[in-house]
Amino acid sequence: MSHAATHAGEHAHPSAGTYVKIAVILFVLTAFEVGAYEVANSGEPAALAAFVAPTIVPILIVLSAAKFALVAMFYMHLKQDGPLLSGIFVFPIILAIGIALALISLFAVVHLLVKPGGH
């Protein structure tokens, strides 16, 4: 069996240039995360801090989720895998996100219903 025949069923992997582009995007997203954290903690510039400080957690979650998706798709090669393998990886993540959001909602509702200092 020839070398070409053994790899006929495989998908083409991204080029080195694509990996460099993804690395640059990951670097920029990380810089945004660090910048958002610094703005929220320092309070400067005041106008930007007024927006960033109350929303720092959702901002960091969205940026980290985007980074995770890029790493999973390109560096873990999920983009090139078949739908079954991708589904086996993605379904538990979606399930975990749903459970986490449900728990956050539950705690938020309980926090609103229970008065501070009350039993």
Side-chain angles (χ1 to χ4, degrees):
M1 187 180 267
S2 72
H3 180 70
T6 58
H7 295 291
E10 291 184 15
H11 297 283
H13 289 282
S15 67
T18 302
Y19 285 122
V20 170
K21 289 175 189 173
I22 297 302
V24 169
I25 292 170
L26 291 170
F27 176 81
V28 169
L29 290 175
T30 301
F32 281 144
E33 286 177 332
V34 171
Y37 176 80
E38 290 297 325
V39 167
N41 280 340
S42 71
E44 296 294 329
L48 185 58
F51 170 75
V52 172
T55 59
I56 188 67
V57 172
I59 289 171
L60 293 177
I61 289 173
V62 167
L63 289 172
S64 65
K67 287 173 28 178
F68 172 79
L70 284 171
V71 168
M73 285 190 310
F74 289 96
Y75 293 110
M76 295 175 61
H77 306 290
L78 286 181
K79 190 173 180 188
Q80 291 84 21
D81 282 344
L84 177 63
L85 291 174
S86 294
I88 289 171
F89 181 79
V90 172
F91 176 71
I93 292 171
I94 292 172
L95 190 62
I97 290 169
I99 291 170
L101 290 175
L103 285 171
I104 290 169
S105 300
L106 178 66
F107 283 116
V109 168
V110 168
H111 180 73
L112 290 174
L113 294 177
V114 176
K115 304 235 186 272
H119 298 289

